[in-house]
Amino acid sequence: MTAFSALGVATALLLAACGGADGGGGDRGDVDAEFNEGESSVVNPSDRTGGTLRYAISSDFDSPDPGNTYYAFSWNFSRYYARTLLTYTGEPGEEGTELQPDLAEAMPEANEDFTEWTVRIKRGLRYEDGSEITARDIEYAVARSNFGAQALPNGPKYFQNLLADSEDYEGPYANEDDPLAGFGGIETPDDHTLVFHLNRSFAEFPYVLIQPQTAPVPPEADRGERYQSHVVSSGPYKFDGDYRPGVSLNLVRNDQWDPSTDPTREALPDRIEVELGVDQNEIDQRLVNGGLDVDLAGTGVGPAMKGTLITDENERNSVDNPQSSTLRYVNINTVLEPLDDLACRQAIMYAADRDALQRAWGGDIGGDIATQIMPGALPGADPSINPYSSEGHEGDLDMARQKLEECGEPDGFSTSIGARSDRPADVSTAEALQQSLKRVGIDVRIKQYPSDTYTNTQAGSPSFVHENDLGLTVYGWAPDWPSGYGFMSKILDGDAIREAGNANISELDDERINAWFDEVVTVEDPDERASIYTQIDQRAMEQAAILPVVFERTVLYRPPNLTNAYYHVGYSMYDYMALGTTRD
């Protein structure tokens, strides 16, 4: 899932402009918490209800439509108003990657070869208008997000790739009279049962069912991409008015939500407010000064605030610095000349100053230097993978020059690097790599784009990449689920390359890697799957398609009024469903 790592630059604001030191009064909560306590335990536990929880972000949602989003923060936040078939357990630590039913009444049942999965949903579930949620609404939600020429562009297409008997289905917008006519991948024998028919064995399929794309959508309310303006709620909160792109999204309680059916949502606040397009430095100042409760991006404070919080003894105990499962990296396009030559790509890998790249992410508190692709917590991750080692991680310039000779570019070459303009760490990474490569004659031009369009319209569009010579792109990735497939398939499998919303930005289409991805999903033994994931990681590094930078460590600030704050491994940020506030 796209690791939405937001960030920006501005001047500090006065306390009065930030809402005052306490943001309007209220209990300051547990001030005895310790540094990084939220990585392994719940900080300031409370069942207090009421108040307004205030979020802000430096850019915007790719879309608040659960069927049209791929940002990690959006998957986390959309749970306020969109329930899915399965969900992660609400626990700190590794327990947060375990699955449990949400809309489903029990875990899915599989046939012997994992090609058919049956899910039964709970009875009595209702939308915000009181109408019943049915299995067919979930089938429709999957169809609209995955199939047809007008399928929603954002988000993964696992269902499209996995569901059988759907090759000729043109999507729900092609037939107004019967939107699901010809859709054979999902059977709904009654209002509370779904049977997923797969075109191949897929042992990890339950993880696909945590995706927001399984949140129900009443067909009569759907307006395609415009549905984002007012998503019909199946969760504890509903839209208060319409979503205003670039401005705000506000939520209030949904009185049709039945908490007895919901295992993970505490629904403590009365109201949730999101400000969009707020400068990152302003967000950081307002968090510390009491004017905000949560940075929605979930990727921590910006560079200007990191050092201050870590070194300030009065604030340090309000900070968490967990290692996430997010890889910060640079895609190296394998199609654009001269990067279509392996040796030219390897020259970049050797020339990169990984120490400088780590410093661009804030040094040790920003992340741990990565030499492989898979985060260490995933089965099969092997930290010994390091085909481009160098003393002090500062780069091997002699090997870089040798590779430039091999690819016929002894004097170097030029290309461009894309980065998100509102994320200082992204831009700093681009600048650090630019300086690294300059040492061997590789000239890099930095091109900046807004976060809310970057993953779909710029970096995520192969045609745009080619037209703008984006041989390099700064990116981040977190697992769609905690396995090598859930982490690597969308960024490395040739079958995942798409015309829009493309995550395999390097356009790697390696026959051996593709075959391993096809094989691994048929393997029942998790240890055998892990071994294959190790081989994929090694091979992708040898192909120099991805330059790993760091396994990110975020610097998350939790204001004293924030209750039930803990780092959720499944979402790589705080668990938004647990949060409450002690403010009135």
Side-chain angles (χ1 to χ4, degrees), residues 417-495:
I417 183 168
R420 286 165 278 205
S421 58
D422 53 350
R423 307 183 186 185
D426 274 26
V427 175
S428 295
T429 297
E431 292 170 344
L433 186 57
Q434 181 186 53
Q435 292 301 312
S436 294
L437 300 185
K438 186 177 182 180
R439 299 180 297 174
V440 294
I442 301 175
D443 178 44
V444 175
R445 302 175 298 276
I446 298 174
K447 297 182 178 181
Q448 300 184 39
Y449 307 99
S451 295
D452 50 337
T453 58
Y454 186 71
T455 61
N456 189 52
T457 306
Q458 288 97 31
S461 168
S463 62
F464 187 94
V465 167
H466 298 173
E467 290 166 6
N468 291 272
D469 192 32
L470 291 178
L472 306 170
T473 42
V474 182
Y475 217 59
W477 200 255
D480 287 349
W481 62 82
S483 81
Y485 195 97
F487 185 79
M488 295 189 295
S489 65
K490 291 302 179 187
I491 62 175
L492 294 176
D493 190 345
D495 292 338

Side-chain angles (χ1 to χ4, degrees), residues 361-375:
W361 274 95
D364 291 339
I365 64 172
D368 302 319
I369 290 176
T371 62
Q372 86 273 14
I373 295 170
M374 274 203 300

